[in-house]
Amino acid sequence: MRPCGRGLAACTESADSDGGVKISAMGCEVREPEDPGWIDEFEAAARRPLRVRVRYSFIKTYRPVLDDEPFRAFDTMADYRAWCEAALPSWLGYGRV
């Protein structure tokens, strides 16, 4: 028996066209992951304390120009906005819309 979105039910398994396994139960279809190790990793992560999970959930990504200095100060918001438009790449999303 496997859990289904509608409760526990006896499921039927069938091969999927791309080699995965499709599980059907009470009209509910759930696709098994192709890599069973993924479930083991997920369950191991779920057993970690919350503090550890939160620490690993944030990924530090370098942002060009913004991360090059510890801080910047501007006299007015207009100065800040003008600096953003002139100095930052548009893909960072700090430009005007």
Side-chain angles (χ1 to χ4, degrees), residues 4-41:
C4 178
R6 298 179 185 156
L8 290 176
C11 296
T12 59
E13 295 186 4
S14 60
D16 205 354
S17 61
D18 60 354
V21 177
K22 192 188 308 180
I23 301 172
S24 299
M26 296 174 55
C28 177
E29 291 187 359
V30 178
R31 188 147 180 245
E32 288 275 321
E34 295 175 11
D35 180 11
W38 182 86
I39 293 175
D40 295 335
E41 290 178 21

Side-chain angles (χ1 to χ4, degrees), residues 17-87:
S17 61
D18 60 354
V21 177
K22 192 188 308 180
I23 301 172
S24 299
M26 296 174 55
C28 177
E29 291 187 359
V30 178
R31 188 147 180 245
E32 288 275 321
E34 295 175 11
D35 180 11
W38 182 86
I39 293 175
D40 295 335
E41 290 178 21
F42 178 80
E43 290 172 350
R47 287 190 300 268
R48 293 186 185 115
L50 180 60
R51 182 180 300 270
V52 173
R53 287 188 285 166
V54 169
R55 182 170 41 126
Y56 289 140
S57 64
F58 294 97
I59 299 170
K60 176 68 176 155
T61 303
Y62 172 74
R63 299 169 304 166
V65 183
L66 286 175
D67 292 338
D68 293 341
E69 298 291 331
F71 74 95
R72 290 179 178 80
F74 300 93
D75 292 329
T76 65
M77 183 60 78
D79 292 342
Y80 166 74
R81 289 182 178 147
W83 178 83
C84 287
E85 288 183 7

